[in-house]
Amino acid sequence: MSEMIVLSNGEGLVGMPVAAKMLLDKESSLKTVEEGIKQVELSPRVTCVGLGGTPNLLREVECDAAIMNGTTLECGSVGALEGYAHPIVVAKAVMEKLPHVFLVGKGAARFAKEIGAEPANLLTEEAISNYSSWIKKNNIPENIFKDKDLSLLPYANLSANENLSKGTTIFLARDSKGNIAGGTSTSGWEYKYPGRLGDSPIIGAGLYVDNRYGGAACTHTGEMTIRAGTARAVVAYMKKGATAEEACHDAVDDLSALKRGFIGTVVIHAIDAQGNPYVISTEKTDTLRYCIWTDVSLEIEQKKPVMVD
Ligand code: GLY
């Protein structure tokens, strides 16, 4: 059995070497998660997180992030944050410096400035080009969103028909002291309605960790895990004696009870209090991978999640 583990989704690969080294150097799981996610936020190749992230309908990159400390159950989140390189750093500062746990929009940006967070233009040329192609493909005149009542547009149909990305990065880590931490960061659903928050910044939906039982973090359709309280549910099931595997299957059952609304894929990543991992996707998708490093393997491996039939 491993003592130390870091688990990320496929998008987290670029942050895994730093995270693994930090655990080996006896850094805390909290710092490990933050630094791992910072690497993903810096990579323009990961088009659902930080720099290079996909914009909203107004072509603005709005970022969500959260971090949670499984030792103290402290947490911090930011939602719809614009103009900063590292939303995860701002989320951690919310946790450490404020009596609050969640800041959004202008307040989050104001706080980011006050703490000296690194400003950045996250909208890359590639993201602009992809946005323009999407607008053209859907026969939407450029700039129409600036002047129109967005709720009048056939947005729901566009989003349902196109399988737009709802990518995220998630990290879960257990350090040499047995402390668990988790974090998330995302630019959210591609071409989302401005102000839309997914599950990534919502503690209990996209992220929950508790040293005593384990941790869970979700990717993909945040609208579903918010409704089902998925990450908290997985940890609560483990509290009641379920293994990580059993807890994830129970949470998938909860998701399958959702009726109406937007239904898509959800991927649940979990570790128990001893660091045993389990990752499950509610739908079969050939390309899905997660990344794992332990102090037993000492290698960063990419694996396929279990897929629900
Ligand atoms: N799970 C990411 C999102 O819904 O934004």
Side-chain angles (χ1 to χ4, degrees), residues 66-68 172 182-184 199-200 202-209 216-218 231:
I67 195 159
M68 186 161 185
L172 293 169
T184 64
D199 59 337
S200 304
I202 305 211
I203 299 297
L207 177 66
Y208 200 82
V209 298
C218 306

Side-chain angles (χ1 to χ4, degrees), residues 64 166-168 186 188-189 196 198-200 218-223:
D64 305 333
K166 299 159 202 80
T168 310
T186 183
W189 187 330
R196 176 262 185 190
D199 59 337
S200 304
C218 306
T219 62
H220 292 69
T221 313
E223 279 70 7

Side-chain angles (χ1 to χ4, degrees), residues 236-247:
Y237 291 134
M238 290 195 285
K239 175 177 179 177
K240 291 294 177 191
T243 61
E245 175 175 347
E246 290 163 347

Side-chain angles (χ1 to χ4, degrees), residues 78 81-87 89-91 93-94 97-98 103 105-120:
V78 288
L81 173 65
E82 288 183 59
Y84 287 88
H86 293 299
V89 170
V90 186
V94 170
K97 295 181 190 291
L98 293 180
L103 293 180
K106 283 183 192 163
R110 178 190 174 108
F111 178 68
K113 188 174 178 191
E114 286 172 1
I115 63 164
E118 184 186 337

